[in-house]
Amino acid sequence: MRIVLVVVALLFVPGGSPAPGKAFTIADAGTATGLVPGGTVTRAVRVTNPDNQAIKVTRLDTAVGRPSPQCPAGAVTADPLAAPVVVAKNAHADVALTVRMAASAPNACKNLTFPLTYSGTAIKP
């Protein structure tokens, strides 16, 4: 599985109000290969904080797209962020996500490129 998508997520401050101009990016950090029906791989993503203050990423989700007409998007799932991650000011942190392919997935899904879209939420630590 090889993915190349980037999503920008808003930085939220306590109370739920978006902080204007505060954002972080979530992008792939390498590739994950060898995902087969019933298999699990680790997917590294990089969270980049371009701001002059640290952030604490509290939620990181992955939406999986459909790679081909023969393979449903639901064949693959990605676990959400296991624990909050603090990213220093003007820095990045690599986070490991677990990606699974259902044992019931058709063989047509084996070793395909699944489009992944990331989203997340962060607060001031």
Side-chain angles (χ1 to χ4, degrees):
M1 181 173 73
R2 195 170 32 102
I3 314 307
V4 185
L5 292 179
V6 178
V7 173
V8 175
L10 288 177
L11 169 64
F12 289 91
V13 295
S17 302
K22 309 283 187 188
F24 65 100
T25 60
I26 308 163
D28 294 310
T31 60
T33 59
L35 191 60
V36 297
T40 300
V41 296
T42 299
R43 176 84 195 126
V45 295
R46 177 165 288 168
V47 178
T48 302
N49 176 15
D51 202 14
N52 286 327
Q53 67 180 22
I55 61 171
K56 181 178 183 181
V57 179
T58 58
R59 185 181 60 80
L60 186 59
D61 297 313
T62 307
V64 181
R66 188 173 184 172
S68 77
Q70 296 77 32
C71 182
V76 169
T77 58
D79 293 350
L81 184 64
V85 174
V86 174
V87 184
K89 65 181 184 177
N90 299 308
H92 67 268
D94 290 346
V95 178
L97 300 177
T98 301
V99 180
R100 305 169 195 284
M101 184 177 287
S104 60
N107 279 334
C109 295
K110 185 177 179 179
N111 293 319
L112 288 181
T113 298
F114 285 79
L116 302 179
T117 304
Y118 305 106
S119 62
T121 304
I123 60 173
K124 293 179 185 179

